[in-house]
Amino acid sequence: MLPLSLRTDLEIARRGYQRYAAYPLATAAGAFTNIIFGLMRGSVLLALFAERQRIGAYDAAATITYVWLTQGLLNIVAIWGWQELALRVRTGDIATDLIRPMHPIRALLAAEYGRATYQLVFRGIPPVAVGVVAFHAALPSDALVWLAFFASLVLAVAVSFAFRMLYNLAAFWTTDTRGTMILALVVMTIFSGFTIPIQFFPPWLAAIAYATPFPAMVQIPVDIFVAATAGPPVLVALAGQLAWALAMLAASYGLFALGTRRLVVQGG
Amino acid sequence: MADLSDLLALYRRLIAARLRAQLQYRTSFALDSTGMLLISFIDFLAILVIFANVPQLAGWTLPEVALLFAITGLTFAFTDLAIGHLDLFPQLIRDGNFDLLLIRPRGTLFQLLTADFQVRRLGKAIGALAVLAYALANLRIDWDPGRIAMLLLIVPTGVVIFASIWVATICIAFWSVDAREVSNAFTYGGQFLGQFPMNLYDRWLRRFLAYVVPIAFVAYFPALYILGKPDPIGLPEWLRFTSPLVALAAAFVASAVWRFGVRHYQSAGG
């Protein structure tokens, strides 16, 4: 029997999954949109390979896989952001979360893995399947690569979650969180390697990207999947993701403690 | 015509009220607008990264693609400003509040378009204008009255085309509120598609997203004329002048779809 706290985590994750599973038509509509964007992004990036054979570790085949895989990953790592916690701080609902016997960030993280599992199955697989069937996107043939990819994906969700926590927690200090969120998203979409592979960047821009936690959200798992990262460097990449995840989660716990100390909830 | 001038006066009053409300929160407004400006630059940064690797993309140079990007970005920014809040309309249906619009003495679409108006979206237009300046400074264009007229016509024509696509596709919410994200594939998707030359897309993708959904008429055909560039796809030259007609047709289709949607609307009983 699992300890009570872990069973609670699992139950919250299950509810996080169900919350998204309640709207199958919304999921289908979203997957349709992901696929249309995949078609367009694939056309644009493939046009580069009319001019040259490869860019960094990416050839045309790896780039096609990159496109369809990122279309599948974007919902799993919530590339368009999330501001539920910020809204709960603004409305004062956070007070209810504070009297519960579990730390709100831990509860949100448990729900996050439920959400990510749902998105993996229903938003992640369809674009990748379209890519494989219609555009020769390649799946790894080595079981170890799959294992490393899924480990990397679990860590990518943690890093993306912790980053979302950090800009949501800004709500303790300012009521205007939308501006902060937009700026956060701008930086994240480009430096995570979601818009275009970081290998395509000029070296100075790639260096800036790799000094941030953003590649740990998209580019690192994708590089493992297409074998742009292979062998011992995979372990280094995973260790880097783990370090970002732990550091940023610790920072969000710290920020949360600071924020609640100055929190004033009106009325109620 | 009294009806039209009444609508215009009402539109001005309602939008002015929204403007005043948003300018009350200066810091928020400044942050949001800067964010929007940056979003448009990030998209262009992706194009710069592409051209850092190759001298040409499907036979188009960087300033030429920048022209497509700027026209699409500018028209999309103005469309987003004028009607982007239509994306909130499915929520009205879900909450049952669309009924309220039906009993008021103005058209439903008119009421929705004046319900919100986010001035911060102008930030995107500023980014696109900067890219337009870059493109025009780096292209050698034989300016003549026809080309100048085309450049001036591009934005209003493109706004009508994008707005028609937005209205027509968001109507899916009349049948299924949950399926509203399908609309994004054509609105935001259309913006993405239009930033690049049509000849890099597959034939069937082009047919569906560039001609049936008439994105190619926003920037691609007018830009071919301004640049004096032969069409790499080899379509007839007269197509370059048809954008205003296509815009009119698109607006007609969109308003027909909207009226069809309203007729089939079933209240949630809210």
Side-chain angles (χ1 to χ4, degrees):
Chain A
M1 200 74 194
L2 287 166
L4 178 64
S5 64
L6 270 183
R7 268 186 285 148
T8 316
D9 285 333
L10 281 177
E11 184 56 30
I12 294 177
R14 203 169 66 81
R15 301 299 169 92
Y17 179 100
Q18 283 172 342
R19 184 174 163 196
Y20 286 84
Y23 304 102
L25 207 57
T27 302
F32 170 80
T33 304
N34 293 155
I35 289 166
I36 294 285
F37 267 91
L39 294 172
M40 299 189 296
R41 294 182 62 214
S43 309
V44 171
L45 290 182
L46 260 194
L48 271 92
F49 293 93
E51 302 280 330
R52 49 188 292 185
Q53 288 289 312
R54 57 174 50 238
I55 300 170
Y58 280 75
D59 55 9
T63 303
I64 278 298
T65 309
Y66 159 89
V67 167
W68 291 101
L69 186 60
T70 48
Q71 285 306 109
L73 287 184
L74 77 92
N75 285 287
I76 303 173
V77 300
I79 208 101
W80 307 130
W82 175 94
Q83 52 173 347
E84 210 164 294
L85 182 62
L87 292 177
R88 289 186 76 76
V89 172
R90 189 195 291 179
T91 55
D93 289 345
I94 189 75
T96 326
D97 302 336
L98 286 168
I99 55 174
R100 291 191 179 127
M102 189 183 225
H103 195 288
I105 294 188
R106 178 167 172 181
L108 285 168
L109 182 61
E112 170 72 4
Y113 275 105
R115 185 197 64 78
T117 306
Y118 178 80
Q119 305 285 27
L120 170 71
V121 177
F122 294 98
R123 295 293 289 275
I125 292 176
V128 175
V130 169
V132 169
V133 172
F135 299 94
H136 308 293
L139 299 177
S141 48
D142 186 345
L144 267 180
V145 173
W146 279 105
L147 188 69
F149 169 71
F150 279 112
S152 179
L153 194 53
V154 168
L155 291 170
V157 171
V159 176
S160 146
F161 171 81
F163 177 64
R164 278 174 274 146
M165 280 300 111
L166 290 175
Y167 67 71
N168 271 267
L169 289 171
F172 279 121
W173 287 270
T174 162
T175 49
D176 175 55
T177 49
R178 194 177 50 200
T180 324
M181 189 176 95
I182 293 176
L183 293 180
L185 294 188
V186 165
V187 183
M188 183 172 160
T189 47
I190 191 84
F191 286 133
S192 64
F194 169 70
T195 318
I196 202 162
I198 298 177
Q199 306 241 5
F200 292 21
F201 289 13
W204 62 271
L205 195 61
I208 295 177
Y210 280 117
T212 68
F214 304 111
M217 302 175 191
V218 177
Q219 190 68 61
I220 291 179
V222 173
D223 278 349
I224 292 174
F225 194 90
V226 302
T229 308
V234 171
L235 291 177
V236 178
L238 291 175
Q241 280 184 298
L242 182 64
W244 275 118
L246 292 177
M248 289 165 73
L249 279 173
S252 52
Y253 270 90
L255 211 58
F256 190 89
L258 282 178
T260 44
R261 216 180 300 160
R262 66 188 299 284
L263 174 74
V264 179
V265 176
Q266 308 286 342
Chain B
M1 283 328 267
D3 278 355
L4 189 60
S5 68
D6 161 70
L7 276 184
L8 280 176
L10 195 55
Y11 186 80
R12 266 202 301 275
R13 274 182 79 160
L14 289 168
I15 298 302
R18 311 277 169 222
L19 283 181
R20 279 198 303 278
Q22 283 161 44
L23 292 174
Q24 296 298 310
Y25 302 93
R26 304 261 162 172
T27 324
S28 286
F29 179 72
L31 257 177
D32 285 358
S33 309
T34 317
M36 289 293 170
L37 178 71
L38 283 175
I39 285 178
S40 63
F41 274 126
I42 282 292
D43 284 345
F44 192 60
L45 187 64
I47 290 177
L48 289 177
V49 168
I50 287 175
F51 279 96
N53 290 288
V54 290
Q56 290 201 333
L57 192 68
W60 291 62
T61 64
L62 173 57
E64 287 172 344
V65 173
L67 182 66
L68 292 176
F69 176 92
I71 297 171
T72 310
L74 204 56
T75 50
F76 192 79
F78 284 127
T79 312
D80 196 20
L81 179 70
I83 72 160
H85 37 282
L86 262 190
D87 280 356
L88 301 175
F89 139 79
Q91 196 60 42
L92 279 185
I93 291 201
R94 169 162 285 161
D95 301 342
N97 285 332
F98 189 70
D99 297 24
L100 286 179
L101 306 193
L102 288 170
I103 56 172
R104 287 186 193 146
R106 291 291 182 280
T108 44
L109 196 52
F110 176 81
Q111 292 182 60
L112 281 170
L113 296 189
T114 50
D116 194 5
F117 193 86
Q118 296 293 335
V119 195
R120 63 194 158 92
R121 292 185 174 133
L122 267 184
K124 280 190 194 167
I126 295 168
L129 270 178
V131 176
L132 183 65
Y134 163 83
L136 294 181
N138 287 280
L139 288 165
R140 273 190 298 274
I141 297 172
D142 289 330
W143 288 110
D144 56 24
R147 290 194 165 82
I148 293 169
M150 184 66 93
L151 189 66
L152 296 176
L153 257 178
I154 277 177
V155 174
T157 315
V159 169
V160 172
I161 294 176
F162 265 130
S164 305
I165 295 170
W166 214 310
V167 170
T169 56
I170 199 74
C171 280
I172 195 168
F174 282 117
W175 285 270
S176 162
V177 176
D178 283 344
R180 66 187 178 281
E181 205 185 326
V182 164
S183 165
N184 292 0
F186 301 100
T187 53
Y188 295 95
Q191 183 198 13
F192 184 93
L193 188 93
Q195 290 170 1
F196 295 97
M198 293 301 135
N199 57 304
L200 62 73
Y201 300 110
D202 279 338
R203 177 179 303 184
W204 60 273
L205 190 63
R206 231 164 35 213
R207 280 189 186 148
F208 181 56
L209 284 181
Y211 312 143
V212 177
V213 180
I215 295 292
F217 294 88
V218 173
Y220 181 73
F221 288 126
L224 283 176
Y225 172 69
I226 291 176
L227 294 167
K229 199 177 166 74
D231 188 345
I233 310 167
L235 294 169
E237 288 217 359
W238 54 263
L239 272 172
R240 298 170 185 197
F241 306 100
T242 50
S243 293
L245 287 177
V246 170
L248 279 180
F252 179 76
V253 171
S255 79
V257 173
W258 180 265
R259 273 173 297 165
F260 184 69
V262 173
R263 266 207 311 280
H264 284 253
Y265 167 67
Q266 291 182 321
S267 172

